[in-house]
Structure formats: C-alpha cells, structure tokens
Amino acid sequence: MLRRTFINLVLVLAMLLTLGASVVSAAPPAQEELTYTIKLGDTLWALGEKYLGSGTGWPALMAATNQKNIEDSTFAYIKNADLIHPGWKLSIPSQADAEAFLKIWDPGKPELLFGKRAGGQLVVGSWWTAGGEAEGLSGMFRIYKEKYPDVEIVNATVAGGAGTNFKAVLKTRLLGGDPPDTFQLHAGLEVEGYSPETYLAPLDDIYASEGLEKAFPKDLLTLLKYQDHYWGVPVNIHRSNVLWYNKAVFEANGLTPPANFDEFVTVAEALKAAGITPFVLGTKDGWEAGHIFEDILAGTLGAEKYNGLWTGATSWTGADVAQALGNFKMMLGYANPDHSAHTWDSAGEFLIAGTGGMMIMGDWTDGWFTSKGFKGYGWAPPPGTKGIFVALSDSFAMPKDAPNADNTRNWLKVCGSLEGQEAFNPQKGSICARTDCDPALFNAYLQSAMVDWGQDAIVASVAHGAAAYESWATDYKDVLTLFVASGDVAAAQAGFQQACVDAEICQ
Ligand code: GAL
C-alpha cells in the first residue's frame, strides 16, 4: 500500500511539475497548524486530502507529527505511514509549512519523515525487509538504542532481495553527495563498484580500536580488505548453498534429500508423481537464478574448479560448465511454471504449504521460516556440494559524506561487537562473523552451519558480491536470466565467456 502510495506520489509530483503548477494542487485557504486525533478508518492519505488539499501531502503530516513527538511525547511517533491508530495525536502543518516540506521531499530519503533527537539521526540503508532479516536488524537497533537513546535511527530499507533495488538508490545518493549514514555492503569485491577511495571512509581505525582483527577469521579479513583498507564491518556469515525441503512431504513419500544430480531426478520424479511441485523457485528479481546456479556450479565442478572460474584458471566454455548448465536445465524442468512471478520468499510459501518439495536458497531462508513460525523444514547441501560452503558476508560501510559521522562510527562498533552479532544473527538466519558467539543462542540449522563453516572448503558467492566485481556479477546474472528463458547452453557459455573477457580475467 505504501509502495503504491510512493509511486502515486512520484507520478503526481511529476505531473504537477510538468504543468508548472504548485506542489499541492487545489490548496484550501491557508490555515494554521492544527492538532488532530486519529479516528477509526482515517488514513494519512485521506487526512492529507482533507487538510492539505491532496493525499500526496501525507509525508508532510508524518514528518510534522514525528518532529513534534520529539518535543512532546503526547504526539504520535509514526514509524510506518500505513500503521496509524485511532487515538493517536497528529500535528497537521500549516499549508505553507507543508508546501515547503513537499518541495524537498524525496521518497528515496525516508530520514526526511523523521525528526532529529538531541543526538541527531542514524540513517541505516539496507534491503532487509523480509521476515527474519527485518527482525535481525531490529535486534541490532535495540542494542544501539540502549547505548545511544538520544539518536533517531532511521531504517532506510529498499525492498528487493540481494539488493536488487537498494543498490541503485544507494548509488544515486552516493553520487549526489547525500548518502545514508551507513549501508549494507557484501564483503568482497562488491566494494569496488562504489569507488571506495572516492565515496567511502576507510574503517581501519575502528578495526584497531575494537580489536576486530582478532575477532574475525583470517579468510574473512582477507576478503574484507580492498586496496589495503577495510571498508565494511561484517555482521555475519551466510551460506548460499542450502537445499531446503518440506520434511513431512519427504517422509510421506519415503524420500531423502538428493546428494547428487541423478538422485535429484529420482526424488523429483517421485514428488511429481505425488502431485507436488518438485523444485520451487522465484526469478522475479533477476538474481535468484544466478544464486542457484553458483551452487550448481560448485556441485558440478567441485571447490577448486569453481574457484578457478573467478581467476581464469577454469574455462567458462569447457564441458563441465556445459554439464552444470545441463543440470540446471534438468532442475528447471521440475520447477513451478510461474517462477517469474515469484520472489525468493514468495516461492518459499510453496514449501511451507507442502505443495512444493525442495528449494535452493541462502540461509536467510532459515530466518524467514522461523519468522513465519514454520518448523517443518529440513536442510541439506544441494547436489554435489557436501563439504563445500558457498559463503558470503554482509557488512556495514560508512560513506565519506555520512551526515552523522559520530553516530555511524558507534553503529559500526555495535555491528562488530559480540552483543550486536548475538542480537542479530539468530533471527537473521546467519552465523556470526565473530568467532566467539554462544552457539546455544542458535537453532539446530545454524549450529550445523557453524560446524560446516569450521570444516568445509569455503568458496565465494558471486551472486552476493564476494567472488567478482559488481559489473561481472551483473553480467553473470543476466546470462542466467536469458538461460532460464531459452535453455540455450551454447549461448549461455558464450555469454559467460564474454563476461569474463569484459572483466579482464579471460582472454
Ligand atoms: C543477500 C544478503 C542476505 C539476504 C539476501 C536476501 O544478498 O546478503 O543478507 O538479505 O540477500 O535478500
């Protein structure tokens, strides 16, 4: 609803600007600031129409109320424009104040909707809006708020798995010199895409003051260092290669999770015969096929050859990559036909409902299942990947122009701390980047991931920023989007090869 509201707002603003009209049309006579108590059935949109002449005035109402709340807590604090309650006290700004606000309002900058407490703001950019992700982030916010109650935390999320939409918004803000205070950044080569030397602050001093070089494993530190500096503080380790399955469905059909691609066919046929969609996926956001295929590559080529794909040691045009594409094509033959309409989490609903049997997705799915109260899921390495851990890590970075630099530095300290990571990871469905978290806080899946992280061959995820520069990772994902539609193995291999040449790794 709010998304629609944002879109409406943008369209209406664009129309008005084109017509050269003032921002708020059909303005009622200028009026003074008012106090209003919400009644059953009110919406901010309707109140905007009533008092400001247009529903598009709702952000002015929200901002004015939140600012008032800081001075006088009898006014409401509106976190989400769609969630307002009867009895809440609102501040309706004067027409002139509303117009002034709407002139600067930008839906990409939610911090404008929130006031500034004595300690200023902390604007946190991420794409964590799904169940599990959102709760994990709130856990870290809670720790921060306990320490810095005077700071207004603004949760500047942009929905879309793997940062599909967030990254574009962030780039615009960085380039415009108007960034959030901190933002989600995958550990690894993704940082190159943000020109860190120009736009980001190196975090070496925070690593030193917080003893972070001792807190994280060596391989992770290596992945985090780019051009001799640390640019992000990691909050977790995620595993890309997990095959999730519905335990009741598997039990009812006498099945065990497939360890290799031949077994996958056997299991998928049995599920199909039982009227269950064997393999569920969503491809709506353009990254999911790239995610699944990195796990198939690792399962088909093995760890060493998989690593070689990103260094030029393994050819993209060889028979084993063709085999991996063949395996993917086989799996797609068992997939839900409407996958292009689904995101990773909406595809997961099939598994919860028991109408789908298996799904390959990262272990944020564990956090998501947990947030949905679903306990009937099992997990296993996807075919061929036993003993391989396809890894990625989320970190938080600091733009050079971060408006609230001190608050950001304190945030990054919370991100790297034991209490921050223990508040975040059990809900997020990831394990700590730190090595000293208490395993007893984590569920059975995450405890198994901790064991595997300690003993498996670790390889880097490309779909989530670790293995390759952003431009190469994007080309790789685009090749797979075409492949899912066409099934053309030769064309996909040619596309991969070209992407590797463009990345200046292949000749
Ligand atoms: C990944 C990210 C995870 C999770 C996932 C789905 O890129 O690292 O933390 O959020 O996207 O959105």
Side-chain angles (χ1 to χ4, degrees), residues 51 53 124 127 145 201 242 251 255 258 272 288 294 296 337 344 350 384 398 401 410 426 443 458 472 498:
Y51 289 103
V124 182
W127 57 89
K145 269 189 201 144
V242 189
E251 267 158 36
L255 299 171
K272 197 169 148 187
E288 303 90 336
E294 73 184 10
I296 296 175
W344 70 270
F350 291 115
M398 173 167 169
D401 295 334
N410 290 334
N443 67 16
I458 308 297
W472 189 5
Q498 189 56 48

Side-chain angles (χ1 to χ4, degrees), residues 127-128 133 161-162 184 186 238 287 344 364 392 394 428 464:
W127 57 89
W128 287 333
E133 305 181 331
Q184 182 186 351
H186 286 125
H238 263 308
W287 60 276
W344 70 270
W364 40 91
L392 60 124
D394 295 301
K428 176 69 170 75
H464 307 279

Side-chain angles (χ1 to χ4, degrees), residues 35-57:
T35 297
Y36 177 85
T37 305
I38 297 186
K39 298 185 183 59
L40 195 66
D42 277 345
T43 62
L44 285 189
W45 184 273
L47 292 171
E49 270 173 350
K50 184 164 174 197
Y51 289 103
L52 302 173
S54 166
T56 60

Side-chain angles (χ1 to χ4, degrees), residues 6 15 29 36 40 96 116 134 145 147 176 215 223 225 246 271 275 301 306 333 335 355 372:
F6 278 143
M15 261 168 53
Y36 177 85
L40 195 66
K116 289 193 177 134
K145 269 189 201 144
K147 290 183 188 289
L223 189 66
K225 232 180 196 174
N246 181 307
L271 290 168
L301 276 68
Y306 172 89
T355 52
K372 307 273 298 182

